[in-house]
Amino acid sequence: MENLPRHPRLRLKLAQAFNKASGFPLEVDLSKKQRIVSRIHEFRRSQDLAGLPEAGLTKLAAAARGAMRSGGPPDLDKMAIEVFALVFEAARRALGLAAHDVQLIAGLTMAEGKIAELPTGEGKTLAAVFPACLFSLARRGVHVLTFNDYLARRDAAWMGPVYRLLGLCVGVVQEGMSQPQKREAYARDIAYATAKEAGFDFLRDQLACEKEELTQRPFGVAVVDEADSILIDEARIPLVISGLAGESGTDAARLAPVIRSLEAGPDYETDDERRNVFPTEAGLEKLERRLGSGNLYAPGNEQLLAAIHCALHAEVLLERDVDYIVRNGRIEIVDEFTGRVMDKRHWPDGLQAAVEAKENLSRKPEGRILGSITLQHYFRLYPTLCGMTATAAPSAAEFKEFYGLSVVVIPSYRRCVRVDRPDVVFTDKEAKWQALIREIVEVHSTGRPILVGTLSVRESEELAAALQGSGLGCQVLNARNDELEAGIIAGAGKAGALTISTNMAGRGTDIKLGGDDEADRVRVMALGGLYVIGTNRHESRRIDRQLRGRAGRQGDPGSSRFFVSLEDEIFERYGLTSRFLKRYRLGAGPDAVDNPAIRADIAHAQRVIEGQNFGIRKSLWVYAHLTEMQRRIVQEARESILNSSGGATWLKRPAAEVRSAGEARFGPEEWDKIRRQVTLFHLDRCWADHLACLSDIRESIHLVSLAGREPVNEFQTSATRAFEETAAKIDQAIAGALEDLIKTEGPVDLEAQGLRGPSSTWTYLVNEDQLGWGVELLKGKNIGLAAGAAAFLGPLFLLTLVLRRLRGRKKRSGN
C-alpha cells in the first residue's frame, strides 16, 4: 500500500476532494493514515518491543493508561501510535498474528469514531482490538457489539489473551446469564455482547428500583461489528420489555378458517407490490354473514375489523418457509437479510396471533409493554460510536444521516482476484431454474466447490431436491437446520463440495478452501477456488456483495455469478417485470437474454429500491424520535430518583405536610425509601400506559389524511398532549398513594399494596416489516413523511382502503 504508483494516489485524492465537495461522507484517501501506520512501526522498532519480556509490554501499557487518565481529556491521536504498537506486539505474541497495515488503518478509522469498510476475510476481529484497547486504557468502558452470541463468545475468547497481556480484562455477555454475571461482565474493561442483548439489559435497568439492581455502567464506547446490518438493517426495530400477561380480546383461531375460505379476486385483492391485502365489498358481505357480526363498520366492531385484516394479511401475504418457519410448536420469523431465524422476534399487534392461528398453534400469552427503544436510538446513547463491515459504502449517506458517521473505504491486504461474472438473465423462472441446474451439474463434475445462495428456506430445499433428482448430493443450510451451520461451513470449501444455503452463508462465514487439508486446498485453488452462485438479486446490493464475498478471500481465487429471472420476486413486487418485457420486447423462452442494458437496468432498479427504503427509514425517524425524546425525559427523572439518597420524587409540588406526616409515621430513612419505591412504581406504570396510548394514536392517525390534514403533524400534536396528561397523572398517582400509605396501620407491605413492579418480565423485538407500506394511501402534503407514517402504523392502516371503497355502502346501510 505504501508503494502505490503516483497516478492511483492522485485519483484517490481527486475522488476524496470530489466526495468532500459534494458532501458525500465517503473517505478513500488513506495517505494520512498510512503515515500514522509508518510511525506505529517506527515506534515498535525504536522501543524494541519485539525484544521486551511480556512484563515489559504490560508495564508500557500501564504507563500509557496513566498518561491518558491524568489531567484533562487524553490526546487519542497522539496515544494511538504507542497503544497500537503495543497491541500489534501483544497479538503477535499471544495469538501468532501479525496485523496487516489494512487492519491498523481500520483500527485508526474506528478510533476516529468512523465506520471502516474492510473487505471480507481481512481480519476485522483483530482490527477491532486496536481501538478497543485505546479507548479502554483511556478509562472508557468499551462494548464490542456483534451479530450473535456465538460470535461474541468466540471473539472474546480468541482475543482475550491480547487484552490480558496489556493488563486489560475482557468479559462476555450471553443471553440467559444471571444478572450478577452480566453485571460483572459489563464491569470489565471490554465487554463483548450482541447488540440486542445489550439493548435488552438497558431496558431491564430502566425498571430497577435500587441502584444495586443495575446491570450496566454508564455508556462509553460501542464498536459495532457488521455495522451495516446492525446499524442500518436492524436499527429501526423496537426492542421491547413486557410483563403483566394479559389475554387478547379477539379469537384469532375463530377467524382463521373463515379467512381461509375467501377467494382471491372475488373476495380480496392485493396491491401491485403485494405489501397490502384488502377485502372487496363482496368479501366483506361474506365475512359479515359467516361471523354474524352485522355491519363491520358499525360502532363496536373496530377490534374485530382490525383482527380480520390481520388474519387476511397472515393468510395471503405471509408464506411458511419463506417469511417464517414452524419449529417446536412455535412461529420463528426468518430474517430476509441473513436467512437466519430471528431470535425473540414477534410480529406486532394481532398479526402474531393471526399467524399462530393460521398454523393451528396454541396462542402464546401477550404482555403489557413496560418499555421500548429502537436500536437506532439505543446506539445514539453511546458518546462514541464506531464500527466495521465489508459493505458500508452503499449506506454511507444513511450512516451520516442517522449517526453522524463517515465511512472510510480500505482496500484489501492482497488484491482480490475473484472474477464477478455478469448476470445470466432469463425472462421466466423455469428457464432460469433449468439453466441453474445445468450450470451446477457441469461445474460440480470438475470437482470445484460450489456455494449456491437462495432467497428462502423453501427455495433452498426445492433446489436441493431438484439436484438430488439429477444425481447430485448436497448440503443444505437454512433456518430449519441452523444448528448444523458450523459443520456445513467447515466443509463448504473442500473439493467436490456442493452447498445450498439461504443468506445464512452470506455474512460472517469464513469458507476455507480445502478445509484443513493443505493438499485439498492446492487442488481447489487450481480448479479456480470457490464458485458462488446467487439465485436472486436482493433489494439491497449489500446482501449481494456479502454473498460474493464468500469467494476470493485474502487473495484466493474464486468467482461469482447471479442467475436472474424477470419473474423473480424483486421484479414482480415492484412492477418491473412487465416494464422490462415491454421495454426490450421480450417473450418467454429458454435462452438467456444477453443484453448489457438489461443488466444495467437491474442494477439501477436496486439503487432505486434502496433509495425508497432509505426514505422510509428516514421518515420513520420522525415518528420514533418524538417518543424517544419523551422516553429520555422519563429516564432522566427516573435516574435522578434512583440515585437520590434524599428520596427525591417526581412531584413538582411536594406537600410539606405529607412529608412531615410520612417521616413521623415511618421515620426519615424508611420514608425516603417508601417515597422512592412508590414514585418509581407509578412512573413506570404511567409510562407503560403512555406507550399503549401512543400505539393507539399511531394506529389510527393515518385516517386524518382523509380530512386533508398531515398525519405527522397530527401525531406530534396528539403525542405531546398525551405526554402532558401522563405527567399530571404521575403527580396525582404518587401523591394519592403516599397519602394512603400514611393512613394505613401497622407495617407497610408495598407488594401487598400492589406497589411493586412485575415479578417477571420477558423481552422481544417487534418485526414491523410485514405490515405493508401502502404509501399511496397517505397522500399528505409531505409524501415522504406520509410513507413513513404508513410504514410505522399497524394493521388498522389498511382500513383506509376499505373506507374509501365502502363509503357509499355505509351510507346506504344507514350507519
Side-chain angles (χ1 to χ4, degrees):
M1 286 180 57
E2 294 86 348
N3 299 316
L4 279 176
R6 179 184 176 190
H7 293 308
R9 286 187 183 277
L10 179 59
R11 285 199 297 270
L12 288 174
K13 288 185 177 295
L14 289 174
Q16 183 67 61
F18 175 79
N19 288 341
K20 186 174 181 180
S22 61
F24 190 61
L26 195 67
E27 298 180 24
V28 294
D29 182 9
L30 305 177
S31 56
K32 180 181 177 181
K33 292 181 177 62
Q34 288 167 348
R35 289 193 293 271
I36 297 175
V37 169
S38 296
R39 293 176 64 187
I40 291 171
H41 291 310
E42 289 172 6
F43 183 88
R44 287 197 306 111
R45 290 188 292 268
S46 67
Q47 299 295 315
D48 189 24
L49 296 186
L52 281 179
E54 290 188 357
L57 285 178
T58 306
K59 185 176 180 180
L60 284 177
R65 181 201 300 260
M68 286 192 283
R69 295 187 180 187
S70 62
D75 186 346
L76 294 182
D77 291 339
K78 179 180 178 181
M79 294 304 300
I81 295 171
E82 180 177 348
V83 173
F84 275 42
L86 292 172
V87 175
F88 183 100
E89 181 59 27
R92 188 187 67 80
R93 295 191 186 193
L95 306 176
L97 297 176
H100 303 310
D101 286 0
V102 294
Q103 291 171 301
L104 292 171
I105 291 174
L108 290 170
T109 296
M110 289 184 276
E112 293 176 349
K114 298 176 181 177
I115 301 294
E117 179 180 282
L118 191 62
T120 55
E122 294 295 322
K124 289 186 284 293
T125 303
L126 177 58
V129 176
F130 289 90
C133 286
L134 177 66
F135 287 126
S136 183
L137 289 171
R139 196 164 49 189
R140 302 180 67 184
V142 178
H143 293 172
V144 182
L145 302 178
T146 64
F147 204 67
N148 56 46
D149 272 348
Y150 164 73
L151 290 176
R153 186 170 61 251
R154 183 202 71 178
D155 293 353
W158 185 13
M159 298 294 123
V162 181
Y163 295 121
R164 288 190 287 272
L165 188 52
L166 298 178
L168 298 171
C169 53
V170 60
V172 58
V173 176
Q174 300 276 275
E175 182 183 354
M177 274 184 169
S178 67
Q179 196 259 358
Q181 289 174 320
K182 285 186 173 182
R183 187 192 303 120
E184 181 183 357
Y186 281 120
R188 301 290 181 93
D189 296 308
I190 298 100
Y192 281 76
T194 65
K196 69 174 184 293
E197 193 63 23
F200 286 144
D201 287 333
F202 170 78
L203 289 177
R204 293 184 186 103
D205 280 355
Q206 298 306 295
L207 298 177
C209 292
E210 300 290 347
K211 287 187 289 185
E212 293 73 20
E213 297 175 7
L214 295 175
T215 300
Q216 295 178 335
R217 58 177 172 170
F219 288 128
V221 180
V223 180
V224 184
D225 192 11
E226 301 293 355
D228 59 323
S229 179
I230 295 176
L231 295 178
I232 301 298
D233 298 335
E234 299 273 322
R236 69 180 183 82
I237 298 173
L239 287 77
V240 171
I241 185 167
S242 290
L244 307 175
E247 296 295 328
S248 175
T250 303
D251 186 0
R254 180 173 70 99
L255 289 177
V258 177
I259 295 297
R260 197 174 296 125
S261 68
L262 300 181
E263 299 179 21
D267 298 328
Y268 64 84
E269 299 174 359
T270 61
D271 62 8
D272 292 338
E273 297 177 4
R274 283 187 59 81
R275 290 188 182 270
N276 296 304
V277 58
F278 43 88
T280 61
E281 184 170 350
L284 283 166
E285 291 174 349
K286 184 181 293 186
L287 287 169
E288 289 170 349
R289 287 196 306 272
R290 295 188 177 180
L291 295 174
S293 61
N295 187 349
L296 283 169
Y297 289 93
N301 275 340
E302 296 86 357
Q303 189 175 9
L304 175 60
L305 189 56
I308 287 171
H309 283 286
C310 282
L312 192 57
H313 192 105
E315 180 66 32
V316 177
L317 300 185
L318 296 182
E319 296 186 59
R320 181 170 178 165
D321 294 336
V322 176
D323 300 296
Y324 64 91
I325 63 173
V326 178
R327 185 165 58 179
N328 300 325
R330 296 173 52 219
I331 297 293
E332 297 187 340
I333 301 175
V334 178
D335 186 350
E336 66 173 306
F337 294 105
T338 67
R340 301 176 187 274
V341 163
M342 296 189 286
D343 186 44
K344 290 189 173 183
R345 191 70 58 89
H346 292 185
W347 280 302
D349 306 309
L351 189 57
Q352 182 78 16
V355 177
E356 290 172 349
K358 170 187 174 182
E359 299 294 344
N360 296 314
L361 300 176
S362 59
R363 178 73 182 115
K364 303 299 184 295
E366 295 181 348
R368 184 184 190 211
I369 293 178
L370 305 176
S372 178
I373 188 171
T374 65
L375 281 169
Q376 194 175 61
H377 286 106
Y378 172 74
F379 286 122
R380 290 170 67 92
L381 298 175
Y382 287 91
T384 299
L385 179 65
C386 60
M388 53 189 180
T389 180
T391 47
S395 299
E398 198 157 352
F399 279 121
K400 193 68 174 180
E401 178 81 23
F402 292 128
Y403 304 102
L405 299 175
S406 297
V407 172
V408 178
V409 178
I410 303 168
S412 58
Y413 170 64
R414 293 187 178 94
R415 186 173 66 89
C416 180
V417 295
R418 183 185 67 238
V419 178
D420 295 328
R421 299 164 66 187
D423 292 359
V424 185
V425 182
F426 296 87
T427 56
D428 60 89
K429 281 187 177 181
E430 182 59 29
K432 180 189 82 168
W433 193 257
Q434 296 303 323
L436 177 63
I437 293 174
R438 287 195 302 271
E439 177 82 355
I440 293 172
V441 171
E442 180 180 341
V443 175
H444 181 70
S445 67
T446 69
R448 186 179 181 188
I450 303 172
L451 171 67
V452 184
T454 61
L455 189 65
S456 65
V457 172
R458 179 186 301 167
E459 186 181 46
S460 68
E461 294 175 345
E462 289 176 349
L463 179 58
L467 291 172
Q468 288 168 357
S470 299
L472 297 186
C474 61
Q475 292 284 344
V476 179
L477 176 61
N478 59 37
R480 208 191 303 280
N481 65 344
D482 50 5
E483 72 279 1
L484 304 177
E485 178 178 2
I488 293 174
I489 293 300
K494 295 180 179 180
L498 174 54
T499 308
I500 312 299
S501 176
T502 58
N503 291 338
M504 286 179 65
R507 183 184 288 274
T509 55
D510 188 6
I511 299 176
K512 296 181 180 179
L513 300 186
D516 295 326
D517 187 335
E518 185 59 31
D520 198 42
R521 171 180 169 80
V522 173
R523 180 188 173 193
V524 170
M525 291 182 68
L527 291 170
L530 181 67
Y531 182 25
V532 173
I533 300 176
T535 64
N536 294 267
R537 283 290 189 173
H538 295 83
E539 290 191 5
S540 171
R541 290 170 294 164
R542 289 184 286 107
I543 300 177
D544 295 341
R545 285 181 57 188
Q546 287 284 354
L547 179 59
R548 289 190 192 275
R550 299 314 100 196
R553 297 165 72 86
Q554 296 188 357
D556 286 344
S559 61
S560 70
R561 188 164 218 174
F562 281 82
F563 281 68
V564 177
S565 162
L566 297 183
E567 292 180 342
D568 286 343
E569 181 180 340
I570 184 174
F571 306 119
E572 292 281 4
R573 171 177 289 185
Y574 289 93
L576 299 174
T577 299
S578 58
R579 187 186 308 173
F580 285 162
L581 292 175
K582 183 177 181 181
R583 178 180 300 172
Y584 296 102
R585 299 179 181 178
L586 300 173
D591 298 325
V593 181
D594 187 13
N595 188 336
I598 292 182
R599 290 192 283 267
D601 264 354
I602 290 173
H604 175 72
Q606 281 185 296
R607 290 193 294 272
V608 171
I609 293 169
E610 287 175 346
Q612 291 176 353
N613 290 335
F614 175 29
I616 289 171
R617 288 191 291 266
K618 187 175 179 180
S619 299
L620 291 175
W621 173 262
V622 177
Y623 284 87
H625 189 57
L626 178 62
T627 304
E628 173 62 12
M629 290 173 61
Q630 295 177 350
R631 189 200 64 76
R632 289 199 179 193
I633 293 172
V634 173
Q635 177 191 347
E636 289 173 5
R638 202 180 193 286
E639 289 177 353
S640 175
I641 296 163
L642 193 64
N643 294 321
S644 172
S645 59
T649 73
W650 171 276
L651 290 173
K652 298 177 181 177
R653 293 174 282 104
E657 61 274 14
V658 173
R659 183 170 63 251
S660 299
E663 291 177 351
R665 167 78 169 81
F666 300 101
E669 185 174 343
E670 181 66 17
W671 176 240
D672 283 345
K673 182 178 180 180
I674 290 174
R675 290 174 65 199
R676 184 165 57 249
Q677 295 285 332
V678 169
T679 300
L680 291 175
F681 171 80
H682 283 293
L683 193 63
D684 293 342
R685 183 182 63 81
C686 291
W687 174 246
D689 290 343
H690 180 67
L691 288 176
C693 176
L694 291 183
S695 178
D696 291 341
I697 294 172
R698 195 179 62 195
E699 288 185 349
S700 58
I701 200 68
H702 60 281
L703 296 174
V704 303
S705 64
L706 297 177
R709 301 200 302 273
E710 187 63 62
V712 172
N713 295 338
E714 294 296 323
F715 176 79
Q716 291 179 334
T717 300
S718 298
T720 300
R721 185 184 304 116
F723 187 68
E724 292 172 351
E725 293 172 357
T726 294
K729 289 177 183 177
I730 294 172
D731 276 350
Q732 295 169 4
I734 294 170
L738 291 176
E739 290 174 358
D740 289 342
L741 286 174
I742 292 172
K743 297 174 184 177
T744 60
E745 297 181 359
V748 171
D749 185 342
L750 294 181
E751 186 169 355
Q753 296 282 340
L755 295 173
R756 290 282 190 186
S759 57
S760 64
T761 61
W762 59 94
T763 54
Y764 60 92
L765 296 97
V766 178
N767 196 69
E768 294 183 316
D769 290 340
Q770 298 292 347
L771 288 177
W773 309 118
V775 174
E776 74 281 359
L777 300 180
L778 290 176
K779 301 291 187 181
K781 297 178 181 178
N782 187 325
I783 300 301
L785 294 181
F792 211 63
L793 300 174
L796 287 176
F797 158 71
L798 300 175
L799 300 185
T800 310
L801 265 177
V802 185
L803 285 173
R804 287 181 171 176
R805 284 172 170 252
L806 303 183
R807 221 178 259 166
R809 177 185 174 214
K810 291 175 68 177
K811 289 180 180 177
R812 289 195 302 273
S813 65
N815 290 307

